[in-house]
Amino acid sequence: MLREHSGWVALVVVVLVVLVLLGVAGWAGMRGSRSAGAHRGRRWGRRPHRNDFRPEGTVSETPTRRAAIIINPTKFDDLPAVKRQITEESAALGWAAPLFLETTQKDVGQGQTRQALQQEVDLVCPLGGDGTVRAVAEALVGSDTPIGLLPGGTGNLLARNLDLPVDDLGDALRVALTGQNKRVDVGRLTIDQSGEHERPAQHIFLVMAGLGFDAAIMADAPEGLKAKVGPAAYVVSGAKNLRGAQFKVRVKIDDQEEFSRRARTVVIGNCGKLLGGLVLMPEAEVDDGLLDTVVLSPKGVVGWAAVAARIASKKRSGHERVDHHTSETVRVRADRPQEVQIDGDTLGKARAIAAEIVPGALVVRVGSPT
């Protein structure tokens, strides 16, 4: 009976798994956005300016506060209209005309953010997909300048985890300009392609990083198909990778004894909410000083169906195919190179990754619109 219906069962499972696992991408990488660079070193804890803790909805003591808007121009059909709306609403809330900086293929947000900081803006707002958000955040990590999250992509996953507006630019802008500050954690991921590199690359992530199946789906989705059908391209890629072989991983959680698993994917999260209300990591909080790690070990279509059902149930533990851990650090070494992604950006294959939490490293503007 199962064999007779294996075609539609596989399709349903693929859709479920893609929605769950690729929610971490927010499909923001569809334009090829990729953030480069690394942040190493200290933990951060300086207090933001006193104006940043003003009651929600009030205007700053200084009427000339200015925001920088870092825009991915490929996301908008009528960019002048978007800029005009932001300028008018900023003026209505007592802010100066914004500094607009556009991203490019070579610089997806970091350079523009550094330029904005040099001009001493009071707020930096990425307006693009999740890749743009991560690039801007990487340049802001360790500073007191807050990031304001404006909806410009499909995912907007950090905003969703902070219960910020994701469907209306005006509402999101009002939160960014009149809200309060909240310090959140970021994850720092070290990627060692060979497993023996002396200076492995480092990146930050805001939502999730993955090794294995989830990253392979993103890497294999054809660019031409993504341009034509959007997120549905990942279903095609998911079907291609669904029956792939498991790989062996050795995982070390904090100072605990290392353990081994046969896995299809390992996901490390700073927060756990995905698209469609799905929650991959039920206990993950963006400011708890901890990372959540999920090791998924399904076997075949039936195994993926069990994993999808388990994730949909929001239960944290007690399933042989879903291994969940909480820690400050995690190290994963695979027996052969696997695709790696961070917040939806694919970074190629690696044998080993390591992640650590950096508590309170990023200031985010939160609150309800007035």
Side-chain angles (χ1 to χ4, degrees):
M1 184 72 173
L2 179 62
R3 185 174 301 171
E4 292 178 3
H5 298 286
S6 60
W8 67 263
V9 170
L11 179 59
V12 170
V13 171
V14 168
V15 171
L16 284 173
V17 172
V18 168
L19 286 176
V20 170
L21 296 180
L22 293 188
V24 303
W27 300 304
M30 291 171 54
R31 299 285 184 177
S33 297
R34 183 168 296 176
S35 167
H39 256 283
R40 301 178 175 87
R42 71 186 190 283
R43 297 177 180 237
W44 302 280
R46 292 178 292 166
R47 290 179 59 82
H49 190 277
R50 60 191 177 89
N51 282 344
D52 296 331
F53 292 96
R54 63 190 183 279
E56 183 181 318
T58 62
V59 179
S60 167
E61 297 172 3
T62 306
T64 56
R65 289 173 69 84
R66 191 184 193 196
I69 313 296
I70 312 300
I71 300 180
N72 180 347
T74 67
K75 297 291 184 180
F76 303 96
D77 295 328
D78 191 349
L79 190 57
V82 172
K83 291 182 178 180
R84 186 165 53 251
Q85 177 187 354
I86 294 173
T87 299
E88 291 173 354
E89 296 198 19
S90 296
L93 293 170
W95 284 62
L99 170 64
F100 290 105
L101 299 170
E102 296 182 14
T103 65
T104 65
Q105 288 187 342
K106 292 183 178 180
D107 191 338
V108 297
Q110 289 186 349
Q112 293 85 347
T113 303
R114 288 191 290 267
Q115 180 181 344
L117 292 176
Q118 289 173 358
Q119 298 195 35
E120 298 184 346
V121 298
D122 301 283
L123 174 72
V124 181
C125 299
L127 183 55
D130 285 352
T132 306
V133 172
R134 189 173 64 84
V136 170
E138 190 153 13
L140 289 176
V141 160
S143 79
D144 292 335
T145 303
I147 186 172
L149 301 175
L150 304 182
T154 306
N156 303 302
L157 285 169
L158 181 60
R160 292 177 191 275
N161 278 273
L162 292 170
D163 295 322
L164 296 175
V166 295
D167 299 317
D168 186 277
L169 176 59
D171 285 347
L173 184 62
R174 283 189 286 277
V175 170
L177 298 183
T178 69
Q180 296 176 313
N181 282 356
K182 177 183 179 67
R183 281 200 173 271
V184 302
D185 309 332
V186 303
R188 183 188 289 124
L189 189 74
T190 301
I191 302 171
D192 191 340
Q193 293 181 334
S194 67
E196 304 293 339
H197 201 283
E198 293 182 0
R199 294 184 178 180
Q202 286 191 332
H203 304 266
I204 71 141
F205 63 95
L206 305 174
V207 183
M208 296 180 191
L211 174 80
F213 176 74
D214 63 321
I217 292 177
M218 298 172 202
D220 287 346
E223 291 296 329
L225 189 61
K226 286 191 288 185
K228 292 180 180 179
V229 302
Y234 291 106
V235 176
V236 176
S237 180
K240 175 182 176 181
N241 287 276
L242 185 66
R243 297 182 182 276
Q246 291 184 335
F247 54 94
K248 186 176 181 180
V249 292
R250 299 200 306 273
V251 182
K252 186 170 180 59
I253 304 293
D254 286 339
D255 294 328
Q256 300 175 25
E257 185 175 351
E258 185 179 73
F259 63 88
S260 297
R261 291 286 186 277
R262 303 292 301 183
R264 286 299 313 280
T265 193
V266 180
V267 181
I268 303 169
N270 184 39
C271 43
K273 186 184 298 183
L274 306 178
L275 294 175
L278 294 171
V279 181
L280 179 60
M281 301 167 178
E283 296 183 4
E285 298 289 345
V286 75
D287 59 352
D288 62 358
L290 295 170
L291 293 170
D292 284 59
T293 301
V294 175
V295 182
L296 301 180
S297 307
K299 294 181 180 180
V301 171
V302 174
W304 275 120
V307 165
R310 185 65 177 182
I311 292 172
S313 73
K314 299 184 181 181
K315 294 182 179 179
R316 183 181 183 279
S317 59
H319 195 284
E320 61 180 1
R321 297 185 179 93
V322 182
D323 200 357
H324 195 143
H325 303 270
T326 302
S327 63
E328 295 181 359
T329 64
V330 57
R331 297 202 303 269
V332 182
R333 180 178 291 270
D335 62 352
R336 58 186 183 274
Q338 300 295 323
E339 294 285 351
V340 178
Q341 65 84 15
I342 49 175
D343 290 350
D345 285 338
T346 55
L347 299 176
K349 292 185 177 183
R351 284 284 305 274
I353 61 174
E356 64 176 323
I357 195 72
V358 187
L362 182 67
V363 182
V364 183
R365 192 60 60 84
V366 299
S368 301
T370 57

